[in-house]
Amino acid sequence: MTKCRQITTERYARRVTHFAKPLPRRGPARRIGRSLALVLPVVLVLSGTLAVTRVNWSGAHRDSVLTASSASVSSRAAARPVQDVLRDRLLLDLREQDPGTALTHLQQAVDEHPSLARHCVSIARALGRAAVQAYGPTRAQAFARPVCDTSFAAGVAAQQ
């Protein structure tokens, strides 16, 4: 046998005998690792499933800020469109406080719910008309603000 072949055979023999030896026993750490490997995926899948069921995927709000904050609006108002509920609440604010407060609440509602922006002009004009009836044209004009492209002022001017 040549020397090169002998070295190769010895290396191969060492490798074979190395793999033929039994693996040493590993203690409790190995058992814990195996238990975690079996239990952890089950726990992750269950917790993920529970998290997904808690998310409101429909996009509808459970508690509408506009209807929940108005205690004076009756339960039948829930079937009405949000902009009508908002208009009624703001008209009530105008009568109880002043048009400035109603305009502030209108701006906050539009900022919180951008979908109300298309109804902002009509709501502000309605507030302007109601302010003229409650305060007169001169005093109502004093409350005008640049909410919804000065539609409040247009509502005041239309009532004069």
Side-chain angles (χ1 to χ4, degrees), residues 74-138:
S74 65
S75 62
R76 62 184 167 84
R80 295 174 45 210
V82 177
Q83 66 270 12
D84 293 343
V85 174
L86 176 63
R87 179 181 295 117
D88 292 345
R89 190 189 78 186
L90 292 175
L91 288 171
L92 186 66
D93 283 350
L94 186 135
R95 287 184 205 111
E96 290 178 353
Q97 297 173 6
D98 60 47
T101 304
L103 288 172
T104 301
H105 290 158
L106 174 61
Q107 187 64 48
Q108 289 171 351
V110 170
D111 290 343
E112 290 173 5
H113 304 284
S115 62
L116 291 172
R118 63 181 156 187
H119 304 288
C120 186
V121 172
S122 64
I123 294 172
R125 283 189 183 151
L127 289 175
R129 289 190 293 268
V132 169
Q133 290 175 355
Y135 295 96
T138 307

Side-chain angles (χ1 to χ4, degrees), residues 35 41 81 140 146:
S35 298

Side-chain angles (χ1 to χ4, degrees), residues 35-91:
S35 298
L36 280 176
L38 293 173
V39 172
L40 192 61
V42 173
V43 170
L44 289 174
V45 166
L46 287 177
S47 65
T49 303
L50 292 174
V52 167
T53 59
R54 299 284 302 176
V55 173
N56 183 4
W57 295 101
S58 68
H61 297 292
R62 289 183 185 165
D63 301 66
S64 176
V65 175
L66 298 176
T67 56
S69 63
S70 60
S72 64
V73 179
S74 65
S75 62
R76 62 184 167 84
R80 295 174 45 210
V82 177
Q83 66 270 12
D84 293 343
V85 174
L86 176 63
R87 179 181 295 117
D88 292 345
R89 190 189 78 186
L90 292 175
L91 288 171

